[in-house]
Amino acid sequence: MRGGRDPTASSVRKLLGMRHSQAVSEFCWSIAPDSPYWNRMVLATRAFTIGGGTTEVQLNIIAERALGLPRDP
């Protein structure tokens, strides 16, 4: 733990939060495909995922921290 915060929990929150955001924006876009707002939101959630670390990167971080698995070379 650093400064009273659990770094593993933040990685899990980031991973699940982005998956949820993507699912919501894609669902809303499927209902209103002509909406420029939802078109932007679908692209924005993808960009946030890349900026925050891809799913594979986040899963590696969680595996290393929470499960104590060795670092990926």
Side-chain angles (χ1 to χ4, degrees):
M1 275 185 149
R2 276 187 270 169
R5 294 184 217 158
D6 183 8
T8 305
S10 66
S11 293
V12 172
R13 277 193 304 273
K14 186 183 297 183
L15 178 67
L16 295 178
M18 286 315 304
R19 282 187 176 178
H20 176 72
S21 296
Q22 287 174 352
V24 168
S25 64
E26 288 174 5
F27 173 74
C28 292
W29 181 63
S30 72
I31 292 172
D34 296 332
S35 168
Y37 177 78
W38 292 114
N39 287 333
R40 280 192 311 273
M41 289 307 295
V42 167
L43 294 174
T45 56
R46 296 291 177 189
F48 292 149
T49 301
I50 294 167
T54 63
T55 300
E56 291 78 16
V57 170
Q58 289 301 321
L59 289 173
N60 279 345
I61 291 170
I62 293 166
E64 291 168 8
R65 292 178 181 167
L67 302 176
L69 297 176
R71 290 191 76 138
D72 210 16

